Structures are given as structure tokens and as C-alpha cells.
Amino acid sequence: MGNLFRGGGDGLSLSNGGTDVFLDVLTLAASDLAHDAWDYRFAALLTLQDQNVMGRGAVGFDLEEIDWGATPAAQARAKDFVVRVVGLALRRHRWDELGYEPPFAEGYLRQFKAMVEAFDPADAVRRDGGGFPGPGEAAVASCVPHRVLSALPYWDGCRFCHSAVGQQP
């Protein structure tokens, strides 16, 4: 069973291992770029995709279900943040800390970036409980050993703490 990330009229279907790699590299980038409240909400969305907590094959999200903001300016700023996160990840930001070589990550990131760029945030479906963390659920806690945003207080540790990567000395 795999996971699906959708948006922009396309989908990125990843194996469980591919999902872990994709989210690992996005988490490293998002943690270092997050600056505004919306950025921390997007980072929270990434932290909540931890298969070691949520279950294998049980994660993924749709760009249409993200609260991109109420105004065109807010939507453009949010979309720009996601594109910048993917761009930083594509530059192999902190990949040396992974403890493994992610050979397919660049392809996943390029496909996701194309999805985000093709997506119009004005098309987002705003639903209560649509899966995108609310303002009070932003990822503001940081995992000190791994220097990434974490899903505290929902569970102890970050995605790297929960994986074999985080357990390496």
C-alpha cells in the first residue's frame, strides 16, 4: 500500500519508503524556512504525515484541502513558501544528515513542485476539519537532536526520532 499526494490536476503516488524519503527531505527544508504562522501550519501538516505514528500507507494530502488563505496575496505567499521549501529540498539541503542516500527524492520533489506550481489556491476547498492544521495546531516545537519542527504535543519526538534514521548514533 502506498500514499497519495494530490493537486494541480496531478497526483504523486509513493511507496511507503518513497513517502518517508519525500517527507524527510521536505521536513528538513520546511523546518529551516518556516517564518510566518502559515509556514508553521504547513510544517505541522508535514509532521502529521509520520507513518511510524499514523501507520504505513495511511498518510498523504491534497493541495485542494489546504487553507491557503483568504486573500489572493495570502494565497500567493503561501504557495511561494511551498515552492521555496521544495526548491531548498531540491538543492539537497541537509541531506548529509539523513544517514542514507535518497536516490529518487529529486524526482519526487520535481513532480510535487510541478503540482504546486500548476495548482491555483483559489480552487482550494475550505472545510472544517479538512486535515490542514489550524492556527492553534502549528508546528512550533522543535526536536533538539534533529533540529526540525515536530508534532509536539501530539506525540513525543519528530519523524527522525521515530524512524531508523533517528535511532542511529
Side-chain angles (χ1 to χ4, degrees):
M1 181 185 276
N3 303 284
L4 185 60
F5 300 85
R6 293 183 300 251
D10 201 358
L12 176 61
S13 180
L14 298 174
S15 67
N16 291 322
T19 299
D20 286 337
V21 169
F22 176 64
L23 292 167
D24 283 354
V25 298
L26 283 178
T27 297
L28 291 169
S31 294
D32 287 354
L33 286 179
H35 177 70
D36 289 338
W38 191 92
D39 307 348
Y40 289 101
R41 291 174 65 198
F42 183 77
L45 177 66
L46 296 178
T47 67
L48 295 172
Q49 308 306 307
D50 189 340
Q51 293 185 100
N52 292 303
V53 175
M54 302 302 289
R56 308 296 279 170
V59 301
F61 56 83
D62 191 324
L63 296 176
E64 292 181 0
E65 295 179 351
I66 292 175
D67 177 1
W68 293 93
T71 67
Q75 294 167 358
R77 194 236 165 258
K79 181 175 174 176
D80 178 66
F81 174 75
V82 176
V83 170
R84 286 187 302 113
V85 165
V86 177
L88 184 59
L90 276 166
R91 292 191 300 276
R92 304 170 82 72
H93 178 71
R94 295 178 56 190
W95 286 17
D96 58 322
E97 298 174 31
L98 292 173
Y100 65 89
E101 180 61 32
F104 303 109
E106 287 185 35
Y108 304 154
L109 291 167
R110 289 187 196 291
Q111 185 174 348
F112 185 68
K113 184 177 181 186
M115 289 167 45
V116 173
E117 288 174 337
F119 178 72
D120 182 354
D123 295 337
V125 178
R126 289 178 180 74
R127 297 183 207 145
D128 290 338
F132 190 68
E137 301 168 313
V140 294
S142 181
C143 173
V144 174
H146 297 107
R147 300 178 350 268
V148 296
L149 294 167
S150 70
L152 290 171
Y154 300 108
W155 49 76
D156 190 25
C158 72
R159 66 176 299 98
F160 298 106
C161 290
H162 298 141
S163 72
V165 172
Q167 297 168 10
Q168 295 178 0

